[in-house]
Amino acid sequence: MHDTDNPQKPRPRAIYLLPNLFTTGALFAGFYAIIAASQGQFIAACIAVFVAGLLDGLDGRIARLTGTSSEFGIQYDSLADLVSFGMAPALVMYHWALHTLRYDGATWGKVGWTAAFLYAACTALRLARFNVQTGQVDKRWFIGLASPAAAGLMMAFVWTLAAAGYSGEQVRFLALGVTVAAGLLMVSRARYFSFKAFPRSDRVPFLFIVLAVVVFVALTIDPPKVLLTAGALYALSGPAMWAWQRLRRQRSGGAA
């Protein structure tokens, strides 16, 4: 029989839209966070950014599972990340705390919006560097803090303090430090574990299941504090690893 007798059915066109729909959902969540922050709904804005992070983590996996990865999807995802993890966290932090720096003088007011811009610009630089380094670096590691992790740190900080009753004005200088640190960590050369080395099959070690249960229970008890603790520890892991490696090289050089 000829191949023309049993033509292969084309893959349904809708499946190519599936990962891009998740990317669109992440983009919408980031846009909603900006609108919510402008209206003073800061906790809702923070939650929206975390929802964007969840959807961003799903779109790539769905594209790989369904065999629908494309250059268009990669570029669309990167642009959506700039809004959801760059502009949205920067503007949420600005509306919540950084704009109140103007009460300390005109110069401090400029510092506030400049810090927000610095974070957004560092996100764009981080995403551009990631795109050009794809396939050239060890997939077990990120070079610089990933933009979703930086956004998570920023939003967990706002969510935790806002839920505790603090206003942005009360912690404006601390917010300034978190914003600048998160932005600079994204463009740093520090290495961060990417979690891509975890098993991807349907069989995982029992310890992974126990850890998943512990994380789920902790998030149920106090989501903002747990997310802030996890985000801060992960953000600090890069500089700590860099310092440890530098110390080992110095010791090795001294011994030689």
Side-chain angles (χ1 to χ4, degrees):
M1 297 181 65
H2 297 287
D3 294 338
T4 55
D5 295 337
N6 293 307
Q8 186 177 9
K9 293 183 179 180
R11 189 187 299 272
R13 186 178 298 273
I15 198 170
Y16 292 98
L17 296 177
L18 187 58
N20 292 325
L21 287 178
F22 278 87
T23 303
T24 303
L27 177 61
F28 174 80
F31 179 78
Y32 173 82
I34 296 173
I35 299 300
S38 67
Q39 298 177 350
Q41 301 175 7
F42 299 111
I43 293 180
C46 295
I47 295 174
V49 173
F50 280 107
V51 171
L54 177 63
L55 295 175
D56 179 70
L58 290 174
D59 60 2
R61 287 172 173 79
I62 289 175
R64 289 189 293 269
L65 288 174
T66 57
T68 55
S69 299
S70 64
E71 186 63 27
F72 171 82
I74 294 173
Q75 299 303 324
Y76 183 38
D77 179 73
S78 183
L79 293 173
D81 286 352
L82 178 58
V83 175
S84 300
F85 309 129
M87 295 301 299
L91 290 174
V92 171
M93 187 67 84
Y94 178 78
H95 285 299
W96 182 65
L98 297 181
H99 80 282
T100 63
L101 286 169
R102 69 177 185 268
Y103 301 147
D104 297 289
T107 302
W108 280 109
K110 294 178 181 179
V111 170
W113 65 259
T114 302
F117 169 75
L118 174 67
Y119 176 86
C122 287
T123 304
L125 293 171
R126 171 68 177 81
L127 291 169
R129 186 175 67 181
F130 177 80
N131 289 343
V132 300
Q133 288 182 341
T134 301
Q136 301 178 9
V137 296
D138 191 340
K139 292 185 178 181
R140 296 175 301 172
W141 306 97
F142 290 132
I143 305 301
L145 184 63
S147 57
L153 174 63
M154 294 265 286
M155 296 301 92
F157 174 80
V158 176
W159 187 1
T160 300
L161 294 183
Y166 290 93
S167 67
E169 183 180 356
Q170 292 175 298
V171 294
R172 58 189 181 276
F173 289 103
L174 183 58
L176 175 64
V178 171
T179 303
V180 173
L184 294 180
L185 284 174
M186 280 192 288
V187 295
S188 70
R189 299 296 299 176
R191 293 198 310 172
Y192 288 87
F193 188 62
S194 69
F195 299 101
K196 293 181 179 180
F198 281 4
R200 295 187 177 184
S201 62
D202 55 350
R203 296 182 179 181
V204 297
F206 179 73
L207 180 60
F208 284 10
I209 304 299
V210 176
L211 289 176
V213 172
V214 171
V215 171
F216 179 78
V217 171
L219 286 173
T220 303
I221 295 173
D222 197 335
K225 291 182 180 179
V226 172
L227 291 171
L228 178 59
T229 301
L233 290 176
Y234 183 68
L236 292 173
S237 67
M241 184 180 301
W242 174 84
W244 171 250
Q245 291 176 344
R246 185 179 179 86
L247 181 61
R248 290 184 60 183
R249 285 196 297 267
Q250 290 179 347
R251 290 181 175 178
S252 298

